[in-house]
Amino acid sequence: MNRSLFKILGWGWGLFLIAGVAIAQISPRAILLIDKSYCPPEQWQKVAQTYAQKYQTSQLHTVILFDDLSQEKFSLPPQPSVISQLSTYGRPNLKRQSQLQKTYPKSQLLSCRLINN
């Protein structure tokens, strides 16, 4: 009896683990790149509103903020209020943007330049 009980428990846990891995692979998790180079406040608010919509409607996995001088990676996406209160500065760095897009090919980009166009 003990042997069959352990066998049933082993199979149960094994199937539970396989189901968990399958669900994790299927669920869409977005990586979001946010260019925080200088942007006029009213245009940055549009970027922040777009972020808030994505925050509410999708499973953001990682958010990466970047500009000409720095890069920050958040495994837990920041609250929309944090993004809306950010100070933008510096010049756009297309080389860094390109490098990040190559590193994260399925990422989405939020940028003041994209909002304007």
Side-chain angles (χ1 to χ4, degrees):
M1 174 145 167
N2 284 341
R3 186 177 186 138
S4 61
L5 178 64
F6 285 124
K7 194 174 187 179
I8 290 170
L9 284 173
W11 277 102
W13 278 105
L15 291 174
F16 181 71
L17 180 64
I18 290 170
V21 169
I23 290 171
Q25 295 297 320
I26 293 171
S27 66
R29 293 188 168 180
I31 296 174
L32 194 59
L33 305 174
I34 302 176
D35 180 1
K36 64 174 189 157
S37 58
Y38 177 74
C39 183
E42 62 279 352
Q43 292 174 347
W44 182 252
Q45 289 310 309
K46 292 178 184 177
V47 171
Q49 288 171 354
T50 303
Y51 174 79
Q53 291 169 349
K54 290 185 179 297
Y55 182 87
Q56 297 295 328
T57 60
S58 68
Q59 294 181 342
L60 291 177
H61 180 264
T62 304
V63 173
I64 300 172
L65 298 173
F66 70 96
D67 59 28
D68 194 28
L69 303 173
S70 66
Q71 174 180 324
E72 286 180 89
K73 182 176 180 180
F74 296 89
S75 296
L76 293 174
Q79 295 287 325
S81 60
V82 172
I83 299 299
S84 68
Q85 295 173 1
L86 281 175
S87 298
T88 60
Y89 54 87
R91 296 181 185 172
N93 188 331
L94 297 178
K95 185 176 180 181
R96 182 177 299 224
Q97 177 182 323
S98 169
Q99 179 184 15
L100 285 169
Q101 288 176 315
K102 285 179 185 174
T103 303
Y104 304 101
K106 294 184 179 181
S107 63
Q108 298 175 342
L109 175 67
L110 283 183
S111 171
C112 190
R113 292 187 321 272
L114 295 176
I115 297 293
N116 290 335
N117 297 335

